[in-house]
C-alpha cells in the first residue's frame, strides 16, 4: 500500500534481472551522495557495539542544520517511529487529518485506539488546502496532522497562512503535528519550515526525514522538532537504541553537505518544470502543480484507470504509484516521483505508447 | 543506565585513543562473523530503496531456524521494538516483573500508563527463580514478563518447570512474555526455548535477539514468536519499515551459520567455567552460577562497592556493569560479560590490582 516495494514488483511483473525504474517512491534521484559508501565502510566495525542511545552527534548536526537547540531535537528510526511516538505521547481521543495524505497518521491514531477524522482537500481547488477550512473543521479535535508539503498532492500551505493557523491552534489548545518530510525539496525550505515555531511553541511538533532528500530509505533516519519539555517527554516513553549505528553515522555527515542540498533543489526545480510540461502535453493527463519532487496526476480519459496504467507500465519495468488507495482519491489518480532526465524521458515515451494502446 | 555505552566511557574516563575492554555489554566476543562485512558491502546500493516492509526473507530464515511457521514470526528493530509493541497490544492495567531483571519491561509498561508490579528474586536462593513463587504472586496481574535466562543474574528456569508455569497461566488467562534474548548461549538452547509453545499457545509471546549472540547490536535485529493471530495483531499496530536494510540482509545470513553457533556455545561454556573459577578465587568476590555469557558477582568486602570498582576499572579502560541501578540489587553487585581468554585474564589481573588497592 506504500510506494517503493521493489521486491514485490519484481515478483508481480516477473522482472528479475531487468532494469527497474522506480517512480513510485519519492526518493531524490541524485542520491545518496557517493561518500555515503565510505561512511558505511568506516563504521562496519562499530556494529558490534550498541549505537549511542542519545544519537548525540546526529542530534547536534540536526540542531546546527536547522538553527534550533539540541534540546529541541529527537532522532528516530525513520520519521515513522516519531509519528507513532507523538501519537502515543498525546493520546487524544480523536485527531483531524486533511486528506488525501500519507496514510500513517490514520494508522497511528487507530493503533492507539484513537479516532481519525478527515477533512476533504478539494479537487476543485486543485488540492490546495486552506487554513480557514482547517479551522472551521477542527470542531472538538485537539490534534491535527498536517503533511506540508502534502503527499501525494505536492501542494504546500505557505508560511504566512500556516502562521495564522498556528496562531489559532495555540490559542485553542490544539496540538499540530506538521510532517515536513518533503520540505527540503522546496525552494527556500528554511523560510517555509515551521521548525523555529515548533522549538518555541507550546503545541507543535515538526517531523523531518533524511530518507527522501538524501535517498537513504534503507537506513531509517528521521527527526522531530518541538519544545524541550515535549522532547524530554517523547524520549521518556520510548525504548532505547532505536536509531542504528549506520543511520547515526551517515545522518551526521550528509546534513553538512551544502553542495548536494543546493544541487538537488536546483535540479528538482528544473526537472519538475520539464516533467510537468511534458505531462501537460498529453490530452489524457492532468498533472497538478507541485512544490516538491513528485507530481500527482489525474487520468482524464475514462478508458484508462490507475490500475491499468500501473500494471501496463509495471510490465515494462516502470513503477508508478496507483493512488486509488488514498482516501478521497480514486482510480483516476497516480503519483510519480521526479527522476533524472533520461528516466523521465523513458517514462514519457512509455506513457505515450501505453496511453495510445489504452 | 544500560551497559555498552562506549562513547560515554571514553569521555568519562578520558580514554580517547586507548584500548577499551567492554565487559559491560553482553556481546559474543567471537562475533560478528567475518562475512558480515561482505554482506554489508553487497547491500550498500540497496539503501536507496525502502527495506522490505514484511522482512520476508529474514522471517523465512527465522522460521526455519526455530522450526515454526512464518506466520508465527515478527521481526523488529531490535527486540526493544517488540517489548514495547507487545505491551501496546495487550494494554493491561498492570504487569508482574520478577526482579532484578532487564529494565525495559518496566519502562515499557510505564510508557503506556500501566503499573509494573515486582516479585523479588531472592538472593538467598542465589537468584534462582521458581515457578511456584511466580504463581503465588500473580494476584490480579494478567501479564507476566519473564527474562529467561535472566539478565543480570544469568539464571534460567528449566523447561519442565516453565511448562508447569505456562500450564497455570494459560488456564488462568495470564499472558506471558518470555524474553529469551540470551538463550542461544545456553547448552541445548532449542530444547530449553519456549518458541514452540508460543507458536501454538494462546497467551505466550517469546522474544529473541540477534544482537548478543551474533554481536550485532549496532544493526538492531530482534524477533518474536507467537500464535498467528497475535502476530497479525502486532503487525497491524506498528509503523512500516522499522527493520532496516542491513539488519534484514545480515540477519537472513547469520542464522544459517551452524558452525559459528556451535563454536560460540562451546567457547562460552569453556570460558564461563574458567572465569567463574578464577573469580571464585578472590576472597572479596562471589560469582553466581550462570547459564549464559555473563556473570553476576557480589562484592563481599565492605570497603569496595560497585561504583568504586566500576570507576577504578574504567580508568584502566575496562568497562564493567555497575548493578546498583537494578531493582533489588545494590552497590554490592556487578555484572561482567564473558570475553576471550586474553581479555578475561586482563580483567582478572586488573581486579587483583584494584582490589588490593581498594
Amino acid at each position: 500500500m506504500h510506494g517503493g516495494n521493489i521486491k514485490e514488483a519484481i515478483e508481480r511483473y516477473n522482472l528479475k534481472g531487468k532494469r527497474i525504474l522506480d517512480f513510485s517512491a519519492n526518493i531524490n534521484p541524485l542520491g545518496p551522495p557517493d561518500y555515503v559508501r565510505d561512511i558505511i565502510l568506516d563504521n562496519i566495525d562499530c556494529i558490534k557495539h550498541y549505537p549511542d542511545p542519545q544519537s548525540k552527534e546526529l542530534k547536534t548536526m540536526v540542531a546546527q542544520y536547522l538553527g534550533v537547540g539540541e534540546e529541541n531535537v529527537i532522532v528516530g528510526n525513520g520519521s515513522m517511529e516519531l509519528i507513532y511516538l507523538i501519537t502515543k505521547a498525546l493520546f487524544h481521543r480523536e485527531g483531524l487529518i486533511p486528506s488525501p495524505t500519507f496514510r500513517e497518521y490514520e494508522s497511528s491514531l487507530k493503533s492507539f485506539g484513537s479516532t481519525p477524522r478527515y477533512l476533504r482537500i478539494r479537487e476543485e481547488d486543485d488540492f490546495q488546502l486552506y487554513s480557514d477550512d482547517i479551522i472551521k473543521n477542527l470542531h472538538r479535535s485537539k490534534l491535527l496532522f498536517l503533511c506540508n508539503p502534502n503527499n501525494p498532492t505536492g501542494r504546500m500551505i505557505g508560511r504566512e497562512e500556516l502562521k495564522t493557523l498556528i496562531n489559532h491552534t495555540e490559542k485553542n489548545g490544539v496540538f499540530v503535528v506538521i510532517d515536513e518530510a518533503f520540505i527540503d525539496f522546496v525552494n527556500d525550505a528554511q523560510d517555509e519550515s515551521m521548525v523555529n515555531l515548533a522549538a518555541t511553541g507550546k503545541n507543535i511538533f515538526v517531523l523531518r526525514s533524511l530518507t527522501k532528500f538524501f535517498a537513504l530509505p534503507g537506513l531509517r533516519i528521521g527527526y522531530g522538532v518541538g519544545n524541550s519539555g515535549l522532547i524530554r517527554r517523547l524520549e521518556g516513553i520510548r525504548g532505547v537504541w532505536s536509531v542504528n549505528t549506520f543511520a547515526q553515522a551517515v545522518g551526521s555527515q550528509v546534513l553538512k553537505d551544502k553542495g548536494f542540498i543546493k544541487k538537488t533543489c536546483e535540479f528538482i526545480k528544473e526537472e519538475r518544470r520539464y516533467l510537468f510540461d511534458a505531462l501537460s502535453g498529453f490530452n489524457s493527463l492532468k498533472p497538478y502543480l507541485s512544490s516538491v519532487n513528485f507530481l500527482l496526476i489525474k487520468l482524464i480519459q475514462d478508458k484508462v484507470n490507475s490500475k491499468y496504467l500501473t500494471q501496463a507500465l509495471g510490465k515494462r519495468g516502470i513503477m508508478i504509484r496507483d493512488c486509488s488507495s488514498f482516501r478521497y482519491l480514486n482510480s483516476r489518480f497516480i503519483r510519480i516521483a521526479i527522476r533524472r532526465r533520461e528516466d523521465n524521458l523513458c517514462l514519457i515515451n512509455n506513457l505515450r505508447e501505453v496511453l495510445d494502446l489504452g
Side-chain angles (χ1 to χ4, degrees), chain A residues 114-275:
Chain A
S114 304
T115 306
R117 287 181 51 241
Y118 309 97
L119 167 64
R120 182 193 278 265
I121 307 176
R122 281 185 294 268
E123 186 186 338
E124 309 87 272
D125 297 337
D126 280 358
F127 296 105
Q128 178 64 44
L129 176 62
Y130 297 100
S131 291
D132 281 358
D133 256 1
I134 299 174
I135 293 171
K136 261 186 274 172
N137 286 281
L138 272 170
H139 303 300
R140 293 156 310 163
S141 294
K142 292 291 179 192
L143 170 58
L144 169 67
F145 278 98
L146 208 56
C147 187
N148 197 50
N150 190 33
N151 175 12
T153 65
R155 307 305 296 257
M156 182 168 66
I157 305 182
R159 183 170 176 81
E160 290 311 313
E161 193 165 355
L162 211 45
K163 275 187 170 168
T164 310
L165 173 67
I166 287 169
N167 197 21
H168 174 89
T169 54
E170 290 270 305
K171 271 186 197 148
N172 291 275
V174 176
F175 196 101
V176 189
V177 179
I178 308 177
D179 186 349
E180 297 187 346
F182 293 98
I183 206 162
D184 297 285
F185 289 104
V186 170
N187 311 329
D188 306 318
Q190 292 288 34
D191 294 339
E192 298 292 344
S193 172
M194 290 293 122
V195 289
N196 289 310
L197 273 182
T200 54
K202 267 189 304 194
N203 292 316
I204 316 174
F205 185 55
V206 170
L207 290 164
R208 302 278 287 256
S209 166
L210 274 71
T211 294
K212 288 88 181 175
F213 194 81
F214 293 101
L216 303 166
L219 283 187
R220 317 308 302 131
I221 329 173
Y223 57 93
V225 180
N227 70 56
S228 57
L230 175 69
I231 297 297
R232 271 198 307 276
R233 199 165 138 214
L234 293 174
E235 296 277 16
I237 58 166
R238 70 159 167 180
V240 287
W241 306 309
S242 74
V243 184
N244 70 78
T245 297
F246 292 126
Q248 290 184 1
V250 172
S252 311
Q253 295 303 315
V254 293
L255 283 173
K256 295 179 197 166
D257 190 349
K258 295 210 193 317
F260 179 84
I261 296 169
K262 187 160 179 279
K263 192 172 136 199
T264 293
C265 287
E266 287 167 0
F267 172 86
I268 290 292
K269 190 176 172 184
E270 169 84 19
E271 210 54 30
R272 183 171 57 217
R273 188 180 301 134
Y274 168 79
L275 201 52

